[in-house]
Amino acid sequence: MSLNAKTPEGPLAEKWNKHKFNLKLVNPANKRKYDIIVVGTGLAGGAAAASLAELGYNVKAFCFQDSPRRAHSIAAQGGINAAKNYQNDGDSVYRLFYDTIKGGDYRAREANVYRLAEVSVNIIDQCVAQGVPFAREYGGLLDNRSFGGAQVSRTFYARGQTGQQLLLGAYSALNRQIHHGKVKMYTRTEMLDVVVVDGKAQGIITRSLTTGEIETHTGHAVLLCTGGYGNVFYLSTNAAGSNVTAAWRAHKRGAFFANPCYTQIHPTCIPVTGDHQSKLTLMSESLRNDGRVWAPKTVETAEKLRKGQLKASDIKEEDRDYFLERKYPSFGNLVPRDVASRNAKEMVDENRGVGASGIAVFLDFADAIKRLGKDAVSAKYGNLFDMYYQITDEDPYTQPMRIYPAVHYTMGGLWVDYNLSTNVPGLYALGECNFSDHGANRLGASALMQGLADGYFVIPYTLGDYLATIGPKPVDANHPAFAKTKQDVLDHVNKLLALRGTKTVNEYHRELGHIMWEYCGMARTAEGLTKAKGLIQALRADFWKNAIVLGENEEVNASLERAGRVADFLELGELMVDDALMRNESCGGHFRLESQTPEGEALRDDEHFAFVGAWEYKGDNQPEVLNKEDLNFEYVHLTQRNYK
């Protein structure tokens, strides 16, 4: 099946404006007749709920946290991209578009990415108006810094807490609408299924995490804004509660899941210290502006460091390998994340890693402190340095940070067209929940950009077109599909509660994560992926025989919550492996060892794989069917990525 992305005709720079004019509109007096469900209240969900309510729609917003302020968007640290060209260093909407297409290794849809770059300039104005305290230069103008994959400074930031400040802006707008009664907020409530009536999404089934009550909610449209699925790897930089359940249940109701194997491994994370960890900590990519990444030049020096016979400060300059600066002189330490991650792994594989485990490289600020002074470095990165110190008990002002790649962001997600609609009418996916804008690798500081673009500036236009088509007739809550879907959820919950084996859900999650990291992580092979598929199938079968889920439904039951999410991860993991096995090429974060250049870079196969792979669910334990959306590049010439 060939997918229709509904990309508008006409020149790239005119597509969005023409499309907005051609979209059907909903009369302001009719907007209050429509009910919209928004699942997830991070940047995409919070922005969408606030914007749609401001327009006059009735919005029901759901999050499993105790407050929208606790959405994982809060963890984004380094900044948000926008093509303002405040630095006058050659930036433009087209350059941001080009950098994003290239950074994603030419596996994203041109029209969506150009629109993202185009509306980026409005995001900054919106957030400043909300009071977001972006960093400013001495004269009062907004400051910018550089991020990976770009040679211009286009990243706006609020020290190392940009995501938190942007989320507070969206949260304030959301609270205003809650106060006006246009948004009804449901906290500590998890979506467990989508209700599809006559082929259209018309509601959801939820479970209260405090009482266990299973409820149905009707809506003329459902917007999923539930983030990514990086926790399929168990250890990731995602919040421990981040999960795939909403998107996966929608997938099982007919929504295609696109490019699931595209996982971003972030190079700048605090290394693993042992099996006791439930998550990993990200150190912002912004640190690579002034920090220099290096490893010892020789195995002998690295061994002495690991044994504690030498300190990093003892290593002379000529004995250090600043490997990113050496290999990529044009971009240096600010190469894209997939490139930096693979090179760090290469150092460790050569036994030149540092730290007691040997699974780390250094990120050194000695030169920056000497050049700028400690106070200037602290002003830029102080809270990040404090966080590192609190976690490691090591002072990054006096010794290098130890970093190593970790699972961070997922570029795959529910397939959506240009309007952010899935292939199920009435069901939309925004932000990291969809696949659309990043190709096979996300450039730093673009997740916040996409989440806010989708929520503030895209969905308020495109959703109206669908609503105007279906009309404001109330959704029938008595339709048999609601009772049937609710019963399906109850049956699944009871099936989980009936598990009285001997292994905890966390044990299965950890085993799955090990399989995924080992065989579907930074480097993948056909042999390893084939092995992983069998291991995951066996693990899933064992889960339904030997897992233990304690407690009842009608209570706070963390064991039940985790069990449902891990059961979904066990199914998603196999699809990720299938997708990686099908895509017999390397691109961005998807690195097949069989497909690389002589220099060890990702080698694409544009003749056979210049498409979006969207998978169609066909039933439990049945092979999924691959649907393709061909990617046509009219404005960017397909070339081998080069950051040298």
Side-chain angles (χ1 to χ4, degrees):
M1 175 180 175
S2 182
L3 295 171
N4 179 11
K6 298 181 180 177
T7 303
E9 298 293 330
L12 188 65
E14 298 176 12
K15 288 182 186 293
W16 178 230
N17 281 332
K18 286 187 175 180
H19 188 63
K20 284 190 291 185
F21 179 77
N22 291 326
L23 291 170
K24 295 183 180 69
L25 299 177
V26 177
N27 184 307
N30 286 337
K31 285 175 180 165
R32 59 178 175 268
K33 300 176 183 177
Y34 290 94
D35 297 320
I36 312 300
I37 290 172
V38 177
V39 185
T41 52
L43 287 181
S51 299
L52 293 170
E54 184 79 40
L55 287 171
Y57 297 108
N58 304 308
V59 178
K60 297 178 183 178
F62 298 82
C63 70
F64 65 75
Q65 299 94 343
D66 56 4
S67 165
R69 287 182 62 179
R70 295 179 66 83
H72 184 60
S73 302
I74 203 170
Q77 299 164 334
I80 175 170
N81 287 331
K84 286 284 198 181
N85 195 29
Y86 281 172
Q87 304 296 316
N88 200 30
D89 58 358
D91 201 11
S92 64
V93 167
Y94 191 88
R95 189 176 294 278
L96 175 52
F97 156 73
Y98 174 81
D99 287 345
T100 306
I101 288 285
K102 177 183 175 183
D105 217 348
Y106 307 93
R107 290 294 176 261
R109 191 188 292 148
E110 278 190 336
N112 283 66
V113 176
Y114 190 88
R115 177 177 63 188
L116 176 65
E118 188 178 356
V119 303
S120 70
V121 297
N122 299 328
I123 295 172
I124 303 304
D125 297 337
Q126 168 95 359
C127 295
V128 169
Q130 290 175 338
V132 173
F134 287 119
R136 294 179 181 268
E137 295 176 329
Y138 179 76
L141 298 176
L142 296 183
D143 196 10
N144 292 117
R145 58 188 177 199
S146 300
F147 254 64
Q151 290 180 303
V152 296
S153 294
R154 64 163 67 102
T155 305
F156 295 79
Y157 64 98
R159 295 190 76 187
Q161 48 187 262
T162 313
Q164 177 179 357
Q165 298 302 328
L166 292 172
L167 185 61
L168 288 173
Y171 177 62
S172 65
L174 178 61
N175 265 344
R176 180 171 180 269
Q177 297 305 320
I178 293 172
H179 175 72
H180 287 318
K182 295 303 294 180
V183 173
K184 187 171 183 181
M185 188 71 227
Y186 295 82
T187 59
R188 300 293 292 151
T189 304
E190 184 167 28
M191 176 194 136
L192 294 182
D193 216 333
V194 178
V195 181
V196 179
V197 180
D198 298 329
K200 298 182 178 69
Q202 293 198 342
I204 62 173
I205 310 297
T206 63
R207 176 179 181 271
S208 167
L209 300 185
T210 55
T211 67
E213 185 177 2
I214 309 293
E215 292 185 317
T216 60
H217 297 273
T218 63
H220 291 88
V222 177
L223 278 55
L224 299 185
C225 314
T226 51
Y229 48 88
N231 277 349
V232 68
F233 289 86
Y234 186 67
L235 287 181
S236 80
T237 66
N238 291 191
S242 296
N243 62 83
V244 76
T245 290
W248 190 251
R249 303 290 170 87
H251 173 56
K252 296 177 81 167
R253 291 292 176 188
F256 294 168
F257 210 106
N259 299 338
C261 78
Y262 288 167
T263 305
Q264 180 169 83
I265 313 291
H266 197 296
T268 318
C269 301
I270 297 178
V272 177
T273 56
D275 291 339
H276 63 282
Q277 288 179 269
S278 60
K279 75 176 299 293
L280 296 173
T281 303
L282 168 71
M283 300 307 295
S284 170
E285 181 177 304
S286 62
L287 295 171
R288 289 196 277 143
N289 267 290
D290 291 305
R292 301 179 70 191
V293 181
W294 64 275
K297 280 187 176 178
T298 66
V299 173
E300 293 75 20
T301 304
E303 286 179 347
K304 290 180 180 178
L305 279 167
R306 292 194 289 269
K307 292 177 181 177
Q309 297 171 356
L310 288 175
K311 295 180 181 178
S313 56
D314 297 329
I315 311 301
K316 296 178 181 178
E317 194 72 12
E318 59 266 26
D319 295 326
R320 303 179 179 195
D321 181 9
Y322 295 95
F323 52 92
L324 294 179
E325 298 173 33
R326 169 174 56 84
K327 294 178 69 173
Y328 309 97
S330 293
F331 283 75
N333 294 299
L334 286 174
V335 291
R337 293 172 178 177
D338 59 322
V339 177
S341 294
R342 280 197 296 275
N343 277 272
K345 181 179 185 294
E346 186 179 304
M347 295 298 107
V348 170
D349 291 347
E350 292 177 4
N351 204 23
R352 290 199 276 148
V354 300
S357 66
I359 307 177
V361 294
F362 285 132
L363 180 62
D364 198 335
F365 284 84
D367 285 356
I369 291 171
K370 184 177 180 181
R371 184 179 73 254
L372 303 172
K374 181 178 177 181
D375 289 345
V377 171
S378 177
K380 285 185 176 181
Y381 313 113
N383 61 311
L384 297 172
F385 278 40
D386 291 343
M387 183 170 70
Y388 183 86
Y389 175 73
Q390 294 294 331
I391 293 171
T392 65
D393 197 29
E394 297 173 6
D395 181 7
Y397 291 105
T398 59
Q399 56 185 307
M401 291 182 180
R402 289 175 296 106
I403 59 167
Y404 194 66
V407 171
H408 179 52
Y409 187 94
T410 48
M411 284 74 66
L414 294 179
W415 181 88
V416 293
D417 61 19
Y418 190 73
N419 294 327
L420 303 184
S421 172
T422 70
N423 58 294
V424 176
L427 181 65
Y428 292 77
L430 284 65
E432 191 179 358
C433 184
N434 73 33
F435 87 98
S436 68
D437 293 354
H438 307 299
N441 173 59
R442 179 176 72 80
L443 290 185
S446 61
L448 302 182
M449 176 173 59
Q450 187 211 346
L452 292 180
D454 288 356
Y456 283 140
F457 297 108
V458 179
I459 200 65
Y461 286 93
T462 60
L463 179 62
D465 184 69
Y466 170 74
L467 297 176
T469 302
I470 65 169
K473 181 182 177 181
V475 175
D476 181 11
N478 295 316
H479 191 284
F482 282 89
K484 172 65 168 62
T485 309
K486 183 177 181 180
Q487 189 58 51
D488 290 345
V489 168
L490 284 167
D491 291 345
H492 186 69
V493 167
N494 289 329
K495 184 180 179 182
L496 291 167
L497 288 170
L499 294 173
R500 287 293 187 266
T502 57
K503 287 179 65 175
T504 67
V505 170
N506 272 2
E507 289 180 83
Y508 284 101
H509 195 179
R510 187 181 289 110
E511 287 182 40
L512 173 65
H514 177 76
I515 295 168
M516 296 299 295
W517 178 253
E518 192 70 22
Y519 301 109
C520 197
M522 275 194 282
R524 304 157 182 192
T525 64
E527 180 183 3
L529 290 164
T530 303
K531 180 178 180 180
K533 184 176 175 70
L535 290 172
I536 293 171
Q537 289 176 334
L539 187 65
R540 187 168 67 247
D542 191 70
F543 173 88
W544 289 109
K545 289 180 182 177
N546 296 316
I548 181 169
V549 180
L550 300 174
E552 305 295 334
N553 178 52
E554 293 76 18
E555 62 182 358
V556 175
N557 190 339
S559 178
L560 175 61
E561 290 172 40
R562 293 193 192 102
R565 295 167 187 172
V566 172
D568 293 333
F569 279 140
L570 284 164
E571 295 178 355
L572 168 68
E574 184 176 351
L575 183 62
M576 292 173 68
V577 166
D578 285 341
D579 191 48
L581 196 55
M582 172 277 296
R583 191 167 285 278
N584 191 21
E585 65 163 353
S586 292
C587 54
H590 168 62
F591 193 73
R592 288 283 295 267
L593 288 177
E594 306 96 330
S595 184
Q596 53 184 306
T597 68
E599 294 81 24
E601 305 293 346
L603 181 62
R604 296 191 322 273
D605 180 354
D606 294 327
E607 182 181 354
H608 298 103
F609 293 100
F611 62 78
V612 176
W615 295 89
E616 182 179 357
Y617 181 77
K618 287 295 186 181
D620 290 345
N621 299 312
Q622 299 298 313
E624 299 215 3
V625 172
L626 177 66
N627 301 282
K628 297 179 181 180
E629 178 201 335
D630 291 330
L631 293 170
N632 300 306
F633 294 90
E634 299 178 54
Y635 296 90
V636 176
H637 181 58
L638 288 167
T639 60
Q640 173 65 35
R641 273 203 306 171
N642 185 352
Y643 292 95
K644 294 181 183 297

